[in-house]
Amino acid sequence: MIRPEEITEIIKGKIEKFVPDSELSELGQVLQVGDGIARVYGLSGAVINELVEFEGGVAGMVLNVERENVGCVVMGSDSLIREGDRVKRTGRVLEVPVGDAMIGRVVDPLGNPLDGKGPIAAARRRPVEIIAPGVVERQPVREPLSTGIKAIDSMVPIGRGQRELIIGDRQTGKTAIAIDAIINQRNEPKETRPICIYVAIGQKESTVARVAKTLEENGAMEYSIIVTAAAAKPASLLYLAPYSGCAIGEEFMWAGRHVLIIYDDLSKHAQAYRQMSLLLRRPPGREAYPGDVFYLHSRLLERACKLSAKNGGGSITALPVIETQANDVTAYIPTNVISITDGQIYLESNLFHSGIRPAVNVGVSVSRVGGSAQSKGMRQVAGRLRLDLAQYNELAAFAQFGSDLDKSSLDQLKRGQRMVELLKQDQYRPMATEEQIAVLFAGVRGHLDEIEVPLVRKFEEGLISRMKEKYPKLLADIAEKKVLDADLEARLVSVIDEFKKEFLSRN
């Protein structure tokens, strides 16, 4: 096999007949093309991530700058490029259109519309790669970002500006959690509602269409953007997708607005980068991934932050998704992303198949921001919930051996069973924070101990319906005060007791 260096020498003389030395920094010629990669002689002035134009009208991006040639990834079909074709520098790094015109649209990683709604009239463009804001430009994460999912908001809280990993095997509900978090933002006041960006990397087009339809049906598309690079697209577009989504979000963040961005999923992103790197002859390291694959994700996720008040106070909250194989969180890519993020929501396939959905494993899931990103009211009711559930799981494992248990252990088992049932939640049914506080208060304070386990969710639905119909002021007060004072607690207990009497008499 002829090496690229040898090809360079063979056709160098031919090229110089057509391209004078003075133009070699701006113009080049294709040496080799195939598998989405083009090697170009010339372009001696090119920089990493620079956009180049091939003769056939296809765009490319410079990724390798070597002594003999330049390695470019092709942003489209490489069948339109031939050996010997001219390549021209554009003098600018890859950019993506940004701004309010993007909201409600489905676009590819280059910002081209895919939803059939016509061209996007974006006035500005941003480079897809920038250096993340420094520590001085940020502030601590304190403001909660509610997902509407009881198990997460109570035990693994997420704050605006945080990076929280969603990790688990295939088909365990990772995307469902991300979509629920987007849908739940409709409960936020319009002026502080985050712009939601869903980045689909290497997924089927039908899956992305289904996500778009779900968001549309739930009224979430009016504040959402979908950036998609389907599985059939070149690896270069899969590589580019999360950076493009982040650049779109940064425009809103620097304007003082809030952004929620989901990268679904970074496992496929790493695979696309590996494919490109091997074709560019970058030496593979551990598990055949290139040595800089950690930097690939760290420079992306580091761009999620909460800006200081001086910089407008905007934020990007990132929820990257990683797919594990056989629940192995110790694999190369999962451990990389775990070490980059501020915590993880671990979804376990055994819990999922046993009917506990969302299948959040409380023991492994953690938020390194913790209570700082929770309202005081949620912290009051959920403070001990995590510990109680961990103790219940240990006790349940011990009790299955049929040992005689004392009364306090039996009470703990009884309470734990009801709390596990209470934390179950249907897909596309996120709950407002005040509703979560009300039902968790009922569970944690023992008001459900007399309710049969199979009836717990029916009780929960009935209680929320009753409060919405008869006591909307109570829910409004919890939402406004964000803390349960003595008066609110007394009113809550009164409503729960009244409904429980009715419920027990009917069931």
Side-chain angles (χ1 to χ4, degrees), residues 231-280:
K233 298 294 179 188
S236 54
L237 289 180
L238 271 67
Y239 159 77
L240 198 60
Y243 297 106
S244 297
C246 193
I248 292 167
E250 279 168 338
E251 178 70 10
F252 298 112
M253 177 179 76
W254 285 101
R257 295 163 78 177
H258 301 288
V259 177
L260 169 63
I261 186 163
I262 286 110
Y263 304 114
D264 192 7
D265 67 66
L266 291 187
S267 306
K268 293 188 181 76
H269 184 234
Q271 286 160 17
Y273 185 65
R274 171 167 64 183
Q275 180 185 326
M276 285 178 3
S277 296
L278 294 176
L279 289 165
L280 286 165

Side-chain angles (χ1 to χ4, degrees), residues 50-366:
E50 184 175 350
L51 194 63
V52 294
E53 288 176 6
F54 291 92
E55 209 171 295
V58 183
M61 182 174 72
V62 176
L63 265 193
N64 266 25
V65 178
E66 297 170 18
R67 189 166 61 89
E68 295 288 342
N69 55 63
V70 172
C72 301
V73 290
V74 181
M75 300 289 177
S77 173
D78 59 14
S79 61
L80 300 171
I81 302 168
R82 298 278 181 271
E83 285 182 18
D85 279 2
R86 292 286 185 92
V87 187
K88 189 173 140 190
R89 281 186 65 196
T90 61
R92 63 180 201 273
V93 293
L94 201 60
E95 296 172 323
V96 67
V98 294
D100 285 343
M102 304 293 283
I103 299 173
R105 303 301 299 267
V106 181
V107 299
D108 71 5
L110 298 172
N112 302 314
L114 299 174
D115 49 12
K117 295 180 182 175
I120 297 170
R124 281 172 50 79
R125 299 178 75 85
R126 285 184 77 92
V128 294
E129 290 244 27
I130 63 152
I131 296 171
V135 176
V136 178
E137 295 171 288
R138 307 177 181 220
Q139 61 174 302
V141 174
R142 293 196 192 93
E143 215 177 326
L145 185 133
S146 177
T147 63
I149 300 166
K150 291 170 287 188
I152 293 172
D153 290 345
S154 59
M155 294 181 289
V156 198
I158 299 169
R160 289 184 176 178
Q162 191 175 340
R163 300 154 299 183
E164 184 79 9
L165 172 63
I166 302 172
I167 186 168
D169 275 14
R170 216 175 145 268
Q171 299 291 323
T172 49
K174 301 186 296 297
T175 301
I177 282 180
I179 300 305
D180 277 354
I182 292 176
I183 293 170
N184 187 59
Q185 303 314 309
R186 67 188 175 195
N187 294 322
E188 295 291 324
K190 209 163 186 179
E191 57 278 4
T192 58
R193 180 186 294 158
I195 301 297
C196 299
I197 302 171
Y198 178 77
V199 182
I201 307 161
Q203 296 191 29
K204 290 186 291 187
E205 289 180 0
S206 59
T207 305
V208 180
R210 194 161 60 244
V211 168
K213 187 169 183 284
T214 302
L215 294 179
E216 195 79 59
E217 286 170 352
N218 287 278
M221 217 43 210
E222 64 188 49
Y223 53 84
S224 300
I225 303 164
I226 295 177
V227 180
T228 175
K233 298 294 179 188
S236 54
L237 289 180
L238 271 67
Y239 159 77
L240 198 60
Y243 297 106
S244 297
C246 193
I248 292 167
E250 279 168 338
E251 178 70 10
F252 298 112
M253 177 179 76
W254 285 101
R257 295 163 78 177
H258 301 288
V259 177
L260 169 63
I261 186 163
I262 286 110
Y263 304 114
D264 192 7
D265 67 66
L266 291 187
S267 306
K268 293 188 181 76
H269 184 234
Q271 286 160 17
Y273 185 65
R274 171 167 64 183
Q275 180 185 326
M276 285 178 3
S277 296
L278 294 176
L279 289 165
L280 286 165
R281 296 171 182 263
R282 291 182 178 179
R286 184 176 157 197
E287 295 185 33
Y289 280 98
D292 63 338
V293 76
F294 180 91
Y295 180 55
L296 175 79
H297 290 149
S298 64
R299 74 177 190 261
L300 168 70
L301 293 170
E302 195 60 34
R303 288 159 72 176
C305 65
K306 177 92 165 82
L307 292 177
S308 63
K310 184 183 172 184
N311 287 316
S315 71
I316 289 182
T317 309
L319 299 182
V321 177
I322 286 285
E323 185 182 299
T324 54
Q325 308 290 329
N327 294 317
D328 182 15
V329 293
T330 64
Y332 187 35
I333 301 299
T335 48
N336 274 0
V337 185
I338 285 170
S339 62
I340 295 164
T341 49
D342 308 311
Q344 68 274 349
I345 297 162
Y346 176 52
L347 302 177
E348 197 178 335
S349 47
N350 292 338
L351 292 174
F352 186 83
H353 297 309
S354 64
I356 298 172
R357 299 175 189 178
V360 179
N361 180 317
V362 183
V364 183
S365 301
V366 64

Side-chain angles (χ1 to χ4, degrees), residues 147 149-157 374 378-379 381-383 385-386 389 423 436 440:
T147 63
I149 300 166
K150 291 170 287 188
I152 293 172
D153 290 345
S154 59
M155 294 181 289
V156 198
Q374 261 181 327
M378 183 63 84
R379 212 156 55 235
V381 296
L385 184 55
R386 191 190 180 89
L389 279 177
L423 289 173
Q436 292 184 50
L440 289 171

